[in-house]
Amino acid sequence: MDRILPWEVMHFEKVFYVDTDCVVQSCLAPIYWNSLMRLPVTVAAATRKMKISRYAGIDLKHPKIVEWNELHTHKINNTLVAFNAGFLLMNLKRWQEEDVLQDIIYWIEANSNGFVYNLGSNPPLVLGLAGRVEYLEGAWNVDGLGYRRHMPSRKLVAAKVLHWTGPKKPWNSNALPEYQKLWQPHRQPECE
């Protein structure tokens, strides 16, 4: 666990994880106090409204997924919805009790031994947390600001968390100009 979460935070029951390419625009107290109430929910994350079978090239008939479903109560099936792990609320006590780290490591090792998913570091979290995610409304992680053009302004105005997923980070010269105005108020020149 200490390789993924610093041991210094382990005495807290719940913690937020926020990627460095995010801007939080809303008070976090409502989801902190009102989320993760029922078992076995371990993480709260904004839904992508995309079934896991369409996400990251995941084939539900892959032998590793079939094996997982035979051994675990938390099934990976087409009812699961993907999420972006750039903004999460985690219950650390349940994370340890459920041994989530070992489940995530299982998927990383499975993928390194033969293709299970693509898209980097997010899929092992989605797979490893199967059945243990409380889905927040999409406004809690409006992602794609580093590659999606022409996002509807109403979506940006309603965003509680802005997330510059993709290669065009707001602090770089190749940033998408239509989203620069969202970043500028939060820019700290002394950090550049």
Side-chain angles (χ1 to χ4, degrees):
M1 179 89 176
D2 62 341
R3 290 181 9 215
I4 291 182
L5 294 173
W7 63 269
E8 293 88 5
V9 300
M10 293 310 296
H11 64 279
F12 293 103
E13 181 181 356
K14 296 181 199 176
V15 295
F16 284 99
Y17 170 81
V18 183
D19 271 357
T20 59
D21 57 357
C22 289
V23 171
V24 176
Q25 302 190 124
S26 187
C27 178
L28 301 177
I31 62 169
Y32 183 87
W33 294 113
N34 299 314
S35 298
L36 305 178
M37 298 300 197
R38 63 188 199 292
L39 292 171
V41 172
T42 305
V43 167
T47 179
R48 284 202 150 158
K49 296 183 181 171
M50 179 187 303
K51 298 288 184 189
I52 198 166
S53 59
R54 286 189 48 228
Y55 174 71
I58 295 170
D59 177 6
L60 295 175
K61 294 179 181 145
H62 189 284
K64 286 292 184 181
I65 292 178
V66 172
E67 176 184 292
W68 173 274
N69 286 337
E70 290 171 358
L71 299 172
H72 294 82
T73 56
H74 307 296
K75 306 294 185 203
I76 296 171
N77 56 44
N78 206 32
T79 64
L80 293 177
V81 178
F83 62 88
N84 178 287
F87 178 79
L88 301 173
L89 174 61
M90 299 177 284
N91 184 311
L92 298 181
K93 182 178 176 200
R94 288 191 202 142
W95 183 284
Q96 287 183 309
E97 290 170 355
E98 296 275 327
D99 207 7
V100 171
L101 179 59
Q102 285 309 307
D103 294 342
I104 294 167
I105 290 171
Y106 171 88
W107 289 112
I108 293 169
E109 289 174 351
N111 201 57
S112 67
N113 294 326
F115 178 80
V116 178
Y117 57 81
N118 57 33
L119 294 182
S121 61
N122 203 66
L125 289 168
V126 172
L127 292 167
L129 286 161
R132 297 176 282 191
V133 178
E134 176 180 336
Y135 295 103
L136 304 172
E137 64 177 285
W140 283 106
N141 191 347
V142 174
D143 67 342
L145 301 179
Y147 69 93
R148 284 189 192 131
R149 307 233 34 162
H150 313 296
M151 197 172 289
S153 60
R154 69 183 180 286
K155 186 173 186 174
L156 296 170
V157 168
K160 296 174 182 182
V161 175
L162 297 168
H163 191 177
W164 275 264
T165 54
K168 298 180 180 192
K169 303 300 182 193
W171 54 83
N172 289 337
S173 60
N174 70 343
L176 296 175
E178 61 259 43
Y179 307 130
Q180 279 299 98
K181 66 184 179 295
L182 301 171
W183 173 257
Q184 287 304 321
H186 307 284
R187 185 175 158 264
Q188 298 293 320
E190 64 273 9
C191 295
E192 293 178 1

